[in-house]
Amino acid sequence: VAAGTRAVARQQEPIGRVVRRCKVMDDDEHGSGSLTLEKVTAPMGVLLVIFEARPDALPQIASLALKAGNGALLKGGREATQSNKAIHACIAQALTEFGVPPACITLVDTRDEVDGLLACHDTIDMVVPRGSNQLCTYVMENTKIPVLGHADGVCHVYVDKAADPLKANRILVDAKTDYPAACNAAETCLVHMDHFANPHGYGHRLLNKLTEEGIKVLAGPRMHAIAGCAQLPTTEDMHVEYGDLTLMMEVVDDVDAAIAHINANSSSHTECVVTEDEAVREKFLNAVDSACVFANCSTRFSDGFRFGLGAEVGISTSRLHARGPVGIEGLLTTKTYIRGGGHVVAKDATNKYAHEELPL
């Protein structure tokens, strides 16, 4: 926890960083000089973050919010109430010692308080719900405040015809068993049909490997019809976040079918292809419409710390503002400065715009 907090502290100052500089106009007829524009990063404002019963989440979120210049209202899971209070007391003490108002990071105690805060669209700038699908959906349906988050984590691993079996075994077992309750754990495995072409094919060996690792495999309709798979429990639900050692497995004809299945049934969180075919790899990376798309590595890498962000405030599957693991950048907005010398529009009768991009 301390290492993650220090990693955030070591990052470059994020506020006031120039992201665009432009000469809008050269000198006008009045001798006003050039008109220049700068777009710079700025704090988002006040965040309301509702997170699961993980005490390590509180210092991660607080450090990111503070580094980005934001205030934060934090509501953790009730099972970690006492731990959160103790950690928050340390944070408040540190803020006081450095002359920062401790109210910048405030704990919210009850669910009733959360409901009241969700109505404060004029004072709270963004809500970040972390946790169950039920929580995220509830927040999205009960506030006018912009919400950054994801409703569930239905992540896929596609084992291509050209997959290396040893790599596929390692990746899939890790993606499912490393932390089954995490939102970046694999929930569905799609396997190229050729791997089940005969009773001794790789598909059956993969199935045995998963079973040996304690994974309960549910067969999709097509897989259930394959010889040797009829004994498996079956499911027709292609969009389930199990959150345990259950994995749905289905066969597909090729990478195009895998992409179509994922885009129709995933939660747009994290997907992975296992293949040695470069063309298949690049097609998958470009065509799958999710926040994070990987090749030949576990879906568990979808994490702010592993991305080098120091920590994450959450993982967003939204298309607006931020997508994927959200670190400091996702807690910033921008503001624009224009510096002139008496310039006016005057219906642009005599203005000559340069719109020259300048070095940052």
Side-chain angles (χ1 to χ4, degrees):
V1 172
T5 302
R6 293 188 180 104
V8 172
R10 286 194 298 268
Q11 293 186 35
Q12 293 183 344
E13 173 58 52
I15 304 169
R17 177 169 50 86
V18 179
V19 296
R20 185 186 180 216
R21 182 177 283 122
C22 173
K23 182 194 290 184
V24 179
M25 289 175 55
D26 290 313
D27 196 3
D28 63 11
E29 62 181 3
H30 303 291
S32 303
S34 62
L35 187 70
T36 58
L37 174 151
E38 278 188 349
K39 179 179 282 189
V40 302
T41 55
M44 182 71 65
V46 178
L47 315 175
L48 170 60
V49 186
I50 308 165
F51 55 96
E52 65 275 37
R54 283 175 46 193
D56 62 322
L58 193 154
Q60 289 180 15
I61 297 166
S63 60
L64 288 169
L66 289 167
K67 185 71 174 182
N70 298 302
L73 302 164
L74 306 180
K75 173 65 175 75
R78 64 179 180 274
E79 297 86 351
T81 297
Q82 298 307 316
S83 296
N84 285 336
K85 286 182 177 179
I87 294 170
H88 177 257
C90 294
I91 294 172
Q93 180 181 345
L95 293 176
T96 301
E97 290 176 1
F98 284 90
V100 179
C104 286
I105 303 295
T106 297
L107 277 185
V108 178
D109 294 325
T110 68
R111 175 69 177 269
D112 290 340
E113 288 181 276
V114 170
D115 289 339
L117 291 169
L118 290 176
C120 297
H121 58 271
D122 55 341
T123 53
I124 295 176
D125 299 285
M126 186 167 68
V127 183
V128 184
R130 296 171 36 141
S132 68
N133 181 18
Q134 182 181 9
L135 167 66
C136 297
T137 302
Y138 177 84
V139 170
M140 292 176 182
E141 293 177 350
N142 288 275
T143 188
K144 296 180 181 179
I145 305 169
V147 177
L148 185 148
H150 65 275
D152 48 11
V154 182
C155 302
H156 294 69
V157 174
Y158 166 54
V159 181
D160 182 53
K161 178 180 179 179
D164 179 317
L166 292 179
K167 289 181 184 178
N169 286 355
R170 290 201 308 272
I171 290 168
L172 189 54
V173 169
D174 182 84
K176 181 72 264 187
T177 67
D178 184 63
Y179 188 178
C183 61
N184 57 13
E187 304 292 3
T188 297
C189 175
L190 303 176
V191 183
H192 194 287
M193 188 70 181
D194 285 7
H195 289 306
F196 286 96
N198 65 74
H200 303 290
Y202 170 61
H204 293 283
R205 299 199 304 274
L206 174 61
L207 182 58
N208 291 336
K209 174 65 174 176
L210 296 175
T211 303
E212 290 172 3
E213 296 291 338
I215 298 169
K216 177 183 177 181
V217 177
L218 303 180
R222 290 189 65 188
M223 183 173 172
H224 195 256
I226 294 173
C229 297
Q231 80 282 2
L232 295 171
T234 185
T235 179
E236 295 186 0
D237 194 342
M238 301 289 109
H239 184 100
V240 179
E241 183 177 17
Y242 298 103
D244 56 21
L245 287 175
T246 303
L247 180 73
M248 198 283 286
M249 183 178 287
E250 182 60 298
V251 294
V252 292
D253 293 329
D254 52 25
V255 65
D256 293 313
I259 291 167
H261 179 104
I262 291 169
N263 287 342
N265 296 286
S266 84
S267 60
S268 301
H269 192 297
T270 301
E271 329 297 344
C272 166
V273 59
V274 184
T275 186
E276 298 302 303
D277 187 320
E278 183 178 349
V280 167
R281 181 191 69 198
E282 294 306 309
K283 174 179 277 192
F284 188 92
L285 292 174
N286 286 285
V288 168
D289 187 19
S290 292
C292 300
V293 189
F294 299 164
N296 298 321
C297 62
S298 172
T299 58
R300 289 280 292 128
F301 280 103
S302 185
D303 172 84
F305 179 77
R306 298 184 182 101
F307 274 24
L309 304 179
E312 69 182 31
V313 72
I315 296 180
S316 172
T317 55
S318 170
R319 296 178 183 276
L320 298 177
H321 176 59
R323 205 174 187 203
V326 179
I328 291 171
E329 291 292 326
L331 302 183
L332 296 169
T333 185
T334 59
K335 60 192 301 186
T336 301
Y337 304 140
I338 290 185
R339 296 179 176 91
H343 296 78
V344 296
V345 172
K347 301 188 184 301
D348 284 329
T350 60
N351 288 340
K352 295 181 180 180
Y353 291 94
H355 292 152
E356 176 188 346
E357 297 297 324
L358 302 175
L360 300 181

